[in-house]
Amino acid sequence: MEVAALRPPFDVPAVFGTKARVPVRGTVNGYQFRSSLCNMGHGYFMVVNKQMRAGAKCKAGDVVEVVLQRDREERVVEVPAEISKVITSDKTAEKTWDSLSYTHQKEWVRAIGDAKRDETKQARIKKMMEAMKAGKRLGF
């Protein structure tokens, strides 16, 4: 498994005015992305995932051209109608879903959408609903 990340050549808290995760957008070799700079304990890094590497035509260890800026646009997950319908069928689940961060919503939608078989998809929807009804962010 190939893993790639970049470390910005500047002091992230000084430039962006925060010590927390910083939403960013920009390009890698001209390929547009939205991501986050996160403090990984040894400084700030941004993961360069498989999709970004493919779009930027690069691999781990390559030298790339990066343009980076703070991303202040709200991040919204497009929830497929089938999932939305299930979530809104239960008020507690809906309330929990609405309280989730962009990342947690995205991970649930991705986990369900990545299922190859309908049985797997339905099992993941059931697991999501059990978590949402229990007020939990994640359950997988």
Side-chain angles (χ1 to χ4, degrees), residues 24-74:
V24 293
R25 68 179 333 134
T27 60
V28 175
N29 287 348
Y31 179 78
Q32 293 186 359
F33 69 85
R34 290 179 86 186
S35 188
S36 297
L37 291 170
C38 300
N39 189 337
M40 305 301 248
H42 301 293
Y44 282 80
F45 291 88
M46 181 184 82
V47 172
V48 183
N49 65 29
K50 184 177 181 178
Q51 180 182 2
M52 289 169 63
R53 292 191 307 270
K57 297 177 177 60
C58 63
K59 62 184 183 312
D62 285 355
V63 175
V64 295
E65 180 179 311
V66 178
V67 175
L68 189 68
Q69 68 183 47
R70 187 161 196 166
D71 185 357
R72 297 191 184 276
E73 274 186 47
E74 181 180 1

Side-chain angles (χ1 to χ4, degrees), residues 35-113:
S35 188
S36 297
L37 291 170
C38 300
N39 189 337
M40 305 301 248
H42 301 293
Y44 282 80
F45 291 88
M46 181 184 82
V47 172
V48 183
N49 65 29
K50 184 177 181 178
Q51 180 182 2
M52 289 169 63
R53 292 191 307 270
K57 297 177 177 60
C58 63
K59 62 184 183 312
D62 285 355
V63 175
V64 295
E65 180 179 311
V66 178
V67 175
L68 189 68
Q69 68 183 47
R70 187 161 196 166
D71 185 357
R72 297 191 184 276
E73 274 186 47
E74 181 180 1
R75 295 180 179 203
V76 179
V77 175
E78 289 190 34
V79 182
E82 177 184 12
I83 298 172
S84 180
K85 183 178 177 182
V86 173
I87 293 168
T88 59
S89 71
D90 182 278
K91 292 297 178 197
T92 302
E94 186 175 21
K95 183 177 178 183
T96 301
W97 179 265
D98 290 343
S99 74
L100 296 181
S101 68
Y102 165 81
T103 301
H104 286 123
Q105 288 183 355
K106 178 183 75 171
E107 290 303 318
W108 276 116
V109 169
R110 181 183 294 155
I112 294 166

